[in-house]
Structures are given as structure tokens and as C-alpha cells.
Amino acid sequence: MAKYIEIPSYISRQGGRLAIPLCDFLPCGVHVPWSSGSHSWSSCSPRQRFSPRQSQGAAAAGQGNAFAAQADDASAIHYNPSGLSQVHGVQLLSGTTLLGGSIKFKNPTGTDSRGDFGGSVAFPPPSYTYLSANLSSLGWDSLSRVTVGLGLITPYGLNTRYPENGPFNSAATFATLPLIDIKPTIAYKVNDQLAFGLSADIYTFASFLGEGQVEQRSISPPGGAIPAGTAIELNGKGTGAGFTASMLYTPFRNADGKPLASVGLIYTSQAALPLNGALLANGVKVADSSTKLVLPQIYRGAVAVWPVRTGEREWKVEFDVEYVGWKANRNLDVQLSNGTTVPQPQQWKNVPVVAVGTEYKWLNPGWLPHWDVAVRSGYTRTENPTPDSTFNPAIISLSSHTISLGAGFLCKGQGRFLGLVPCGGESPLWPKAIGFDVAFQEWLYEPRTVARNPNATVNGNYHVYIHLGTVSLKLLF
């Protein structure tokens, strides 16, 4: 016997009370019972796709995020917690990213549509903040091998929207995932060659960031029990936890004790994030809902070498590779308050991510005394984990090539930041150095043709373009 959800009459345009078969909320192509036989329904499927290479520091972003073996500022909390052992004193680093772009779609009949990321510039912008302290700088000289830190990042920034009258509005018109990751971190330096790091990953949502919950919206198509044009929303929020463990091995150093080669190994655990929310029709709650979002485990390896590292100049080259376990995201089944489970199969696959980056730095050059100046570039290759059968336009499921450029400036000693602010001071409350970093990335997505999707409205050609700029400010105490 088919299950139904009752919707109050003021949601329906047809008066009376409306009983909606559950198939109206089922994902694409699920075969369900219908009151007069059976019906195969194509509808919305609130699933997400995220990029682990989301930039979490401008110095790293300028190198294509090939930074896990260098990891020599407070953003090591994200890239390689053991690298925090290289950060002296107290350091505060904070930054934000401005992201824009477009998604272009054309279906087999020639109908065009275009989406974006919440506007010409995504808002709220993905941001990050890190605070680190070597315990000797806090007066605990016996614990000089220990450095602690705290990070607050937005790891999977997503905000996608399409016209409500678009060709695949039954699949998605809007999606957002304003998830934050709180990262308490500790690093221990065993000796000059070896360090270990560990951080917790506390995933949650906050009301000050976007909608404060995961959302996906769509429009009810004609031919179903829900009146055509009804706005459907599925939302939820919750808290989950995981961890990141890492090692940094530095076999060679120069006469000044700076690394000439480093190897980083990092493991980020899988995390299950329970999401509790509601299913809405035209803004009115139809049912409570719950599901579990599985964030993937990630294995990272990185190697950095400095062919040049003197008192005047430094040149680094780094190669990073990741293996992202998206296969664990088997489904996003939704449990409704009437006891029904709405199946949401994912069928994703594990994928590699490869990054290479370089940095060239001038230390206290004669043409800009009391400053260090760096230029950076990098390249990242990201594979698509999502098959055609579970593709949804609310997400960006295309393989991509990312080109990165960046620069960094560190003012210290008798230098003046912006020509006005002294960069060094005797007071322990005044920073010993002030730095800022900028980076630009162009994400070049490979065109994708989706075919054989159970929801035929999403079949067609997709072209995606993303460009972003990120800037960060660094204070060294």
C-alpha cells in the first residue's frame, strides 16, 4: 500500500487537503507504488559534491594548494598539522576568498540555461582564521617542542542557484552547504628531522554563515500529485567530528637550519554528519526529515625541495597528491517523520587530486629593505567522482584544471606596512612582523555531457567556469 504525506490546503492551489504520494519526493528514477498502479518518478535529489582543494590560505592557493610539505605558517593547521612545529612564537592568520563564475547548460533540444554561485560574487565569501602558539613563547620553556593552534575554516563552500523557470527546475534551483570546521590542533617536534601533528575536525553550522543549514530547493513538475510550480525545499543541520593526523619528515637542512627537502604524510578521517531538518512545500513544513552526510577520508602525500635556499633567495618546488574516498558516500537516504525512508543513492567513486606548485622568494632585497617578497604559481588536477546516473546540477561534478598565481609580502624590523604602520616593536603586544598574501585561481572545468540520467531534464551539455581571488593577513608575535 502506498504511503502518503498530507499537505494543508493553503499550500495547494486546488483547495481541500492534498495527499501527496511519497514518490513526489523520491530521487530520480526510483520505482515506487502509485495509487493506480506504479509510477517511475524523476524528482529532486538533495545531494552535494564538494572539493577538498578549497583554498584555506593565500600562500597555499598561489601554489595550487601544493603546500602540505612546506606548511610553514599557521595555515598548517589545515594543510599539515605537523608543520605547525615550524611556526615560531604566536601567529594569527586570517583571510577570505571572493569567488565568481557561471554554469552553462544546453539540453538535447537546444534549450539553454545558466546558473551561478549566488551572484556575481558568492556571498558570504568562504573565509578562514588560524591562531597558533609555540608554548615556549607563552612562558613554558620546558614545552618548547609543542605548538598548539586553533583553526576555523569553511571546507566545502557551496552556493549554487538556477532560474526557477529553468529546464531542470524539478532537479534543483538552489543549493547551499555553509559548513564550518573547527580545528583544535597540536604539533610535537621530535627532533630536527621529524614532527607529528594531530587536529580534531568539528563540523557544524552557524547562523552567522549563510543560511545556517544545508538546503536544496526545486520546483514540482507537472503531472504529479503536487500542483505544478510548488516550491519544494529540503534542509537540515547538525554536528559531526573527525580528525587529521600527520607527519613531517625533513631529511636535509642548510647551514641556517632551514629545510632543503621535506616530506609530508597526512590522513583525514571519514566523518558522519547527522542532518536534521524539514521538508517544505511553498515554505510550509510537510514533514520532519533526517539524513546522514558522510565526509570522505583523505590520504595525502607531499614532497617539497628547495633547489635554492640562501640568506638572499629561496626557491621551492612541491608535488602533492591526494586520494579522496568519495566511495564511502554510498547514499544520502532521508528519513521522514511518518516513518518512510526516501532513498537517495549516490554511487560515487574514489578519485585522485594532483597538485604541483612553486614559490620564489627574495629575502630583504636591496630594492625593498626590511621586506621579504614571494611570487608563486601552481597547477591542480581534480577528477570527477559522480556518474551520470546520480548527477545533479545543484553540484559541480566535472573534472577540472586549476591554474594559480600568487604573491606574498612580509614586513619586519624597521619596515612600515602600507608605508604607515611600523612592522616591528618592542612591546609583546605589537607584532614583530606583518605579512599579507594574495592569490588568483582560474578553475577550467572539462565540458561534460550527461546522458541516461533517470531525470531526463538534466541530460545535456555542461560548461563551468570559476575564478577566485583570496587574500590573507598575517601577524607574527
Side-chain angles (χ1 to χ4, degrees), residues 12 68 71 82 110 118-119 140 193 199 234 243 274 369 392 414-415 417 461 473:
S12 171
S82 59
W140 292 309
Q193 286 75 45
S199 68
L234 190 61
F243 68 91
N392 189 289
Q414 300 178 30
F417 187 72
N461 298 318
L473 178 67

Side-chain angles (χ1 to χ4, degrees), residues 245-256:
S246 71
M247 179 197 77
L248 183 66
Y249 176 57
T250 307
F252 306 110
R253 294 179 180 269
N254 66 9
D256 296 325

Side-chain angles (χ1 to χ4, degrees), residues 21 156 180 231 339 353 446:
Y156 300 116
I180 63 174
V353 179
E446 297 178 0

Side-chain angles (χ1 to χ4, degrees), residues 304-475:
V305 295
W306 283 261
V308 177
R309 195 155 206 181
T310 68
E312 294 93 26
R313 298 183 183 187
E314 296 179 355
W315 175 34
K316 185 214 76 166
V317 179
E318 180 166 334
F319 176 79
D320 291 16
V321 62
E322 296 181 357
Y323 188 71
V324 186
W326 285 121
K327 190 174 182 179
N329 192 26
R330 298 182 179 90
N331 66 72
L332 196 61
D333 293 352
V334 178
Q335 288 75 43
L336 299 178
S337 54
N338 74 335
T340 301
T341 297
V342 181
Q344 304 278 359
Q346 303 300 290
Q347 301 172 10
W348 292 5
K349 64 180 181 180
N350 299 336
V351 294
V353 179
V354 177
V356 60
T358 186
E359 175 186 70
Y360 195 91
K361 186 182 294 185
W362 293 266
L363 308 177
N364 193 29
W367 42 271
L368 191 60
H370 311 297
W371 286 78
D372 293 345
V373 180
V375 292
R376 305 172 177 120
S377 64
Y379 165 81
T380 309
R381 166 67 177 173
T382 305
E383 296 287 342
N384 160 50
T386 309
D388 283 6
S389 60
T390 61
F391 176 87
N392 189 289
I395 57 178
I396 301 174
S397 295
L398 289 76
S399 298
S400 68
H401 307 265
T402 304
I403 307 299
S404 304
L405 296 172
F409 305 87
L410 181 67
C411 173
K412 54 190 178 181
Q414 300 178 30
R416 288 187 172 270
F417 187 72
L418 300 178
L420 300 172
V421 181
C423 296
E426 298 297 329
S427 170
L429 300 178
W430 192 260
K432 295 180 175 62
I434 302 174
F436 68 96
D437 298 278
V438 296
F440 174 80
Q441 291 186 336
E442 188 71 25
W443 291 48
L444 306 174
Y445 285 86
E446 297 178 0
R448 177 172 183 176
T449 299
V450 176
R452 300 181 300 279
N453 190 287
N455 182 348
T457 66
V458 308
N459 289 332
N461 298 318
Y462 291 82
H463 297 265
V464 179
Y465 308 90
I466 291 181
H467 38 267
L468 65 85
T470 183
V471 59
S472 63
L473 178 67
K474 181 164 50 182
L475 303 178

Side-chain angles (χ1 to χ4, degrees), residues 260-309:
L260 294 177
S262 292
V263 178
L265 297 175
I266 307 98
Y267 171 75
T268 298
S269 73
Q270 179 177 299
L273 183 65
L275 299 176
N276 298 297
L279 179 66
L280 309 179
N282 281 344
V284 179
K285 186 167 77 171
V286 174
D288 293 322
S289 64
S290 64
T291 188
K292 182 172 68 175
L293 176 64
V294 178
L295 304 179
Q297 64 179 352
I298 305 173
Y299 299 89
R300 298 183 181 93
V303 177
V305 295
W306 283 261
V308 177
R309 195 155 206 181

Side-chain angles (χ1 to χ4, degrees), residues 14 47 61 66 97 118 142 144 189-190 192 196 215 229 239 259 334 341 362 395 403 410 457 473:
Q14 299 175 353
R47 48 189 177 262
T97 299
S142 61
S144 61
K189 183 177 180 180
V190 178
D192 286 342
F196 294 97
E215 290 185 9
T239 299
V334 178
T341 297
W362 293 266
I395 57 178
I403 307 299
L410 181 67
T457 66
L473 178 67

Side-chain angles (χ1 to χ4, degrees), residues 1-4 19-23 32-39 225:
M1 183 175 183
K3 293 186 178 181
Y4 292 83
I20 300 178
L22 236 343
C23 59
V32 297
W34 188 262
S35 56
S36 60
S38 64
H39 183 76

